[in-house]
Amino acid sequence: MAQPWIIVDSISTKEGILELRQRGERDFLITVGGLVLMNSSAHRSEVALGQLACGHLKSQASPRVLVGGLGMGYTLKAVLDSLPDTGRVVVAELNPVVEKWCRGPLAGLTDSAVADPRVSVEIADVADLIRRSKAGGGEEGFDAVVLDLYKGPHYRSHKRDDPLYGSRAIENTRAALKPDGVFAVWGENYDAEFDKRLCAAGFTVTSERPGRGGLRHVVFVARLNSPRAKGK
């Protein structure tokens, strides 16, 4: 007989009750309003997201990466595994309790990725952080922006004004990236309109569905090509 889920911790949010549930040593759920946000037994797309976003940065001198959404830390761990010791990762997480969980009961899932000295966590809306991080502006730009957020882009996303996936938000992300930067996004399903908006903003876009069988989410990888001088 399967073990029952035990509520480890919970907190009230505007989306509903945010809970961490556990059964057994390494089996966890994060839910909000009764809906599953993440399951520790199904995280291959989150790992693929981090690898696809940052795999090319291993030999770069001091890459800087922004991760939107901490979750259970699987995407962060994959990003860190793809970076040199000189890399830096900023994680934007809306709820401080999620950081507490990743430093506490969830730490063993990712070898305490959130405690890695290359990581800093900001309790903030990632859209706000992107807007104030324009490359060449007041803050240093990013080599990769990685969004691992609930649902991701979908057909109901407002084409212009969605704060993360609309055309204005995509332009903000482009401005926050260094030349040849990567914008990588996790989604529940492929969204052709989001793909088109990325292409219209000057990105070269591919999408991957990691793994075989079962629930296969999508990873969008949008690469920003540096402008070349004429004749080059």
Side-chain angles (χ1 to χ4, degrees), residues 3-33:
Q3 291 179 284
W5 289 103
I6 297 171
I7 298 175
V8 177
D9 195 11
S10 64
I11 187 172
S12 179
T13 73
K14 64 180 181 181
E15 289 82 20
I17 301 298
L18 182 67
E19 290 183 343
L20 177 64
R21 303 179 187 180
Q22 181 180 9
R23 64 180 181 189
E25 183 179 354
R26 296 175 64 86
D27 200 0
F28 292 90
L29 289 178
I30 294 178
T31 67
V32 65

